[in-house]
Amino acid sequence: MEGTKKPARAVLLAAGQGKRMKSMKPKVLHEVLGKSILARILDAVKALDVEHVHIVVGHESDQIRAFLEKNPPGIPFSLHLQQPQRGTGDALRKVTPELGGFKGTLLVSVADTPLLQRATLAALLAGHRESQATVTLLTTIVDDAKNYGRIIRDAAGKVVAIVEHKDATEEQRKIQEVNPAIYCFDWPRVEPGLDGLTNNNTQNEYYLTDLIGWAAKEKLPTAAVVANDWREVAGINSRIELAEANRLLRDITVNRLADEGVTIVDMAGTWISPEVQIGPDSTVLPGCHLVGDIKIGSGCVIGPHTVMGGRVVVADNCSITQSLVTNSEIGKGCRIGPFSHLRDSNVLSDEVRIGNFVELKNSNIGHNTNVSHLSYVGDSDVGSKANVGAGTITANYNHLTKKKNRTRIADGASTGSNSVLVAPVSLGEGAVLAAGTVATKDVPAGALAVGRARQENKLGWTDRFGNKDS
Ligand code: UD1
Ligand code: CA
């Protein structure tokens, strides 16, 4: 069958304003666990066997265009302008004249469903190919049907129509099988139906849902695939539903991780995005926010109150307590925190210790090295078994050249408390920087560098000048 499989194209409807969001941003650019609704649905679509995605835009379309330029979806796509927005059927009409001679399956979906999974779309596509129906739609069963379109089936159980909530009778409103608005259409077989849509309804819109009634009336075959988990196909229409989608996606993710052997102590108080992977026998303590492209090994203890973002890789057996980590790599057995800030482009080798009130940026830290207290290490290469003393600062920015320079601290070197390394500067192997030193010159291996005012003791000073009453 593989060779005879009809090609498929996806159509995402994203022209609407999403009035109830009360936002300057198009609804589909709002984020759910760190990723826009549109990017999430594109992730699901691009993993399918579809050759192109047509995206219908309208309200604030420039923002969507700019977003896609910055975040290319990784699948051929085109934008189609719908102005004004006269309904979901009208939206599809903006695409079809530009399909050329395309013959095959149009997978059409509203674009406000951030939790949609690839597997569900794949099941819909497979169901459509198998049944060879003109229209195959996804449906789902819900407790609260809200404003969803209701699925009308005949006595034999065949789907014969979708009725919008606003147009439904009291009796129809009791139906709990609803329309997530995700369909497969056989193109160009549905073309006459699309051309014939009217707007005789409460909203004066051209409803895509009317295509199902049209197909049934024309006695064209229709089929339905029921999605088991309604949460996955829930549409976002308001900030409250957006918050709910965050919660749902969080619940799905923490449950998946727990099934994979991760202890999550407070499932409701831990925010983890679905991209995150965590190895078995790791523990995530309460208050963590791990949102991004994050990979954590086994046997780690993360949190409480640790925040990670961007691309983060953490190897096995690390502990990261009350800290912020973005775009960094952490080796095995490292101990980070409390209150450490690993700010972008750091690579830590194994067994590194980063302590309280330490900020690292764009730095490489060698095996078994400690930066334990109150330091800023930026644009630096620190070797192994080195010790960066309390309050050490790398002065990496040159105000004249406006450039950042690198600091090198070789294996086994150590810096005393409150020392400053004015980059570019290097500390040779085993070298020691005395406390309070401002290093402006390279220090050779094995040397002690002292660069501070010499202390002078004035003997008997208190007896002569001190406050005798105290
Ligand atoms: C739609 C369905 C409803 C279904 C629900 C699922 C219709 C008529 N109704 O209703 O049966 O239960 O989705 O969430 O299709 N859009 C456009 N152009 C338009 C109008 C909408 O591109 O002219 C896009 C929006 O950007 C949005 C999507 O279509 O992404 C759905 O629009 P929305 O207004 O939210 O439709 P619902 O009223 O929820
Ligand atoms: Ca909707």
Side-chain angles (χ1 to χ4, degrees):
M1 281 301 283
E2 202 57 24
T4 60
K5 204 153 72 178
K6 285 185 181 173
R9 287 172 169 240
V11 179
L12 297 179
L13 309 181
Q17 174 182 9
K19 275 194 208 83
R20 281 174 283 166
M21 296 296 287
K22 310 228 166 75
S23 176
M24 309 285 282
K25 247 191 335 200
K27 176 165 71 175
V28 298
L29 291 188
H30 283 266
E31 291 186 352
V32 174
L33 291 186
K35 216 176 206 189
S36 72
I37 299 174
L38 181 62
R40 290 211 172 276
I41 191 165
L42 281 166
D43 279 350
V45 168
K46 79 168 175 224
L48 294 170
D49 183 16
V50 299
E51 55 183 46
H52 190 101
V53 184
H54 301 271
I55 306 171
V56 183
V57 294
H59 178 74
E60 296 290 345
S61 59
D62 288 347
Q63 286 188 41
I64 296 189
R65 197 178 301 273
F67 175 83
L68 289 168
E69 265 165 33
K70 237 177 118 189
N71 306 275
I75 176 172
F77 73 98
S78 49
L79 298 183
H80 306 259
L81 196 64
Q82 183 201 21
Q83 205 70 275
Q85 290 88 47
R86 294 186 302 181
T88 46
D90 178 63
L92 181 57
R93 281 177 176 170
K94 301 296 170 209
V95 173
T96 50
E98 292 170 49
L99 285 174
F102 175 77
K103 284 190 176 62
T105 303
L106 284 185
L107 171 71
V108 180
S109 176
V110 292
D112 60 355
T113 48
L115 274 60
L116 192 56
Q117 301 294 308
R118 187 209 79 91
T120 304
L121 291 175
L124 174 66
L125 261 177
H128 181 69
R129 279 174 175 150
E130 218 165 87
S131 67
Q132 305 204 334
T134 305
V135 180
T136 307
L137 66 151
L138 209 58
T139 77
T140 195
I141 317 285
V142 289
D143 286 338
D144 176 5
K146 295 194 207 165
N147 291 322
Y148 286 110
R150 306 299 202 278
I151 304 292
I152 313 292
R153 291 181 184 258
D154 66 9
K158 270 233 149 293
V159 175
V160 290
I162 297 171
V163 179
E164 285 307 287
H165 175 85
K166 286 185 182 145
D167 302 297
T169 63
E170 273 312 306
E171 216 39 48
Q172 287 169 329
R173 286 187 180 179
K174 288 184 189 145
I175 297 172
Q176 286 178 299
E177 185 179 19
V178 299
N179 172 36
I182 304 166
Y183 327 82
C184 282
F185 295 114
D186 189 14
W187 189 260
R189 250 211 291 179
V190 296
E191 191 169 13
L194 191 63
D195 289 345
L197 290 181
T198 60
N199 63 352
N200 302 325
N201 50 54
T202 25
Q203 304 188 80
N204 292 323
E205 284 186 357
Y206 296 89
Y207 291 165
L208 190 56
T209 45
D210 284 349
L211 266 186
I212 285 79
W214 166 82
K217 276 200 200 89
E218 295 289 314
K219 306 241 176 312
L220 294 165
T222 61
V225 172
V226 183
N228 295 328
D229 191 347
W230 68 270
R231 300 177 300 180
E232 213 198 278
V233 291
I236 304 301
N237 299 299
S238 64
R239 306 263 180 173
I240 290 170
E241 287 175 353
L242 186 70
E244 197 174 283
N246 274 280
R247 279 199 301 278
L248 290 174
L249 195 55
R250 184 269 317 276
D251 287 349
I252 291 169
T253 305
V254 292
N255 278 295
R256 191 247 304 158
L257 289 166
D259 280 342
E260 291 171 3
V262 180
T263 295
I264 294 164
V265 172
D266 178 9
M267 289 205 166
T270 303
W271 293 86
I272 306 184
S273 68
E275 295 72 32
V276 176
Q277 292 174 38
I278 306 180
D281 284 326
S282 282
T283 298
V284 183
L285 296 169
C288 288
H289 191 268
L290 315 177
V291 171
D293 184 7
I294 296 164
K295 204 164 175 266
I296 296 170
S298 313
C300 293
V301 179
I302 309 297
H305 302 290
T306 286
V307 177
M308 292 187 192
R311 248 199 110 259
V312 175
V313 180
V314 180
D316 297 344
N317 301 318
C318 290
S319 71
I320 307 181
T321 311
Q322 310 228 61
S323 292
L324 170 59
V325 180
T326 54
N327 298 304
S328 293
E329 269 177 54
I330 297 171
K332 275 189 246 145
C334 291
R335 286 180 300 136
I336 317 283
F339 312 114
S340 307
H341 183 187
L342 273 59
R343 175 166 66 91
D344 290 356
S345 309
N346 299 292
V347 179
L348 275 53
S349 187
D350 300 341
E351 314 288 337
V352 169
R353 163 93 185 101
I354 306 295
N356 40 214
F357 308 108
V358 170
E359 179 179 346
L360 297 187
K361 192 219 61 178
N362 194 22
S363 290
N364 301 308
I365 311 290
H367 175 249
N368 227 332
T369 282
N370 296 339
V371 189
S372 298
H373 342 258
L374 303 154
S375 292
Y376 171 64
V377 177
D379 301 301
S380 298
D381 302 296
V382 183
S384 61
K385 292 190 179 161
N387 187 65
V388 176
T392 297
I393 303 292
T394 58
N396 54 341
Y397 185 68
N398 183 319
H399 283 271
L400 287 176
T401 62
K402 304 211 182 314
K403 282 204 177 104
K404 305 257 172 73
N405 293 301
R406 291 199 79 82
T407 296
R408 291 195 170 77
I409 298 175
D411 295 351
S414 61
T415 67
S417 299
N418 218 26
S419 52
V420 179
L421 293 104
V422 182
V425 72
S426 71
L427 203 53
E429 207 174 312
V432 175
L433 207 56
T437 295
V438 178
T440 52
K441 288 191 296 200
D442 290 352
V443 182
L448 166 72
V450 190
R452 63 186 181 217
R454 196 174 278 277
Q455 179 174 332
E456 202 182 318
N457 291 336
K458 313 246 186 211
L459 299 178
W461 185 89
T462 323
D463 280 346
R464 272 182 282 149
F465 304 111
N467 185 350
K468 300 219 175 70
D469 299 335
S470 67

